[in-house]
Amino acid sequence: MITGAVGLVRMPDFYTRLHPAGMIDTFGAWLMLAGMCVQAGFTLVTVKLIIIGLFLFFTSPTASHIVANAALVSGMKPTGRRLDTPEPSSAGAHRETRP
């Protein structure tokens, strides 16, 4: 969960932040369902919780894909910037010109 939160802070744009957000969402749901399964013991409730977990396993990535597609259709462009390159700043920036 901590690594997903760090990923949300470090990623440069909306599209790359979707991946850690989706991972946190899915992993957190799995942890809660696993805790409820342990608490319930092996009963019909546990089987239902496992079915809910499988449902979340398939719907969470699909929801992330739909959000990314909606952002792209609405006109949000990916930055294309890598994590190891510095962010361009407008203050004090000058270009070296060649003759």
Side-chain angles (χ1 to χ4, degrees), residues 9-70:
V9 173
R10 283 199 42 123
M11 297 297 169
D13 68 346
F14 173 76
Y15 293 102
T16 54
R17 287 184 184 139
L18 271 176
H19 182 255
M23 295 300 289
I24 289 172
D25 178 35
T26 305
F27 188 62
W30 272 99
L31 285 178
M32 289 192 306
L33 289 171
M36 287 187 269
C37 286
V38 168
Q39 183 181 15
F42 190 69
T43 61
L44 183 60
V45 173
T46 305
V47 175
K48 291 177 183 179
L49 288 170
I50 291 171
I51 291 171
I52 291 171
L54 289 174
F55 177 75
L56 288 174
F57 180 74
F58 289 110
T59 57
S60 288
T62 306
S64 294
H65 177 76
I66 290 170
V67 169
N69 192 23

Side-chain angles (χ1 to χ4, degrees), residues 59-98:
T59 57
S60 288
T62 306
S64 294
H65 177 76
I66 290 170
V67 169
N69 192 23
L72 189 64
V73 167
S74 70
M76 183 179 285
K77 301 286 185 209
T79 60
R81 189 174 67 85
R82 294 173 48 112
L83 286 176
D84 56 356
T85 58
E87 193 168 334
S89 63
S90 59
H94 77 301
R95 265 192 192 161
E96 182 179 320
T97 58
R98 295 184 179 196

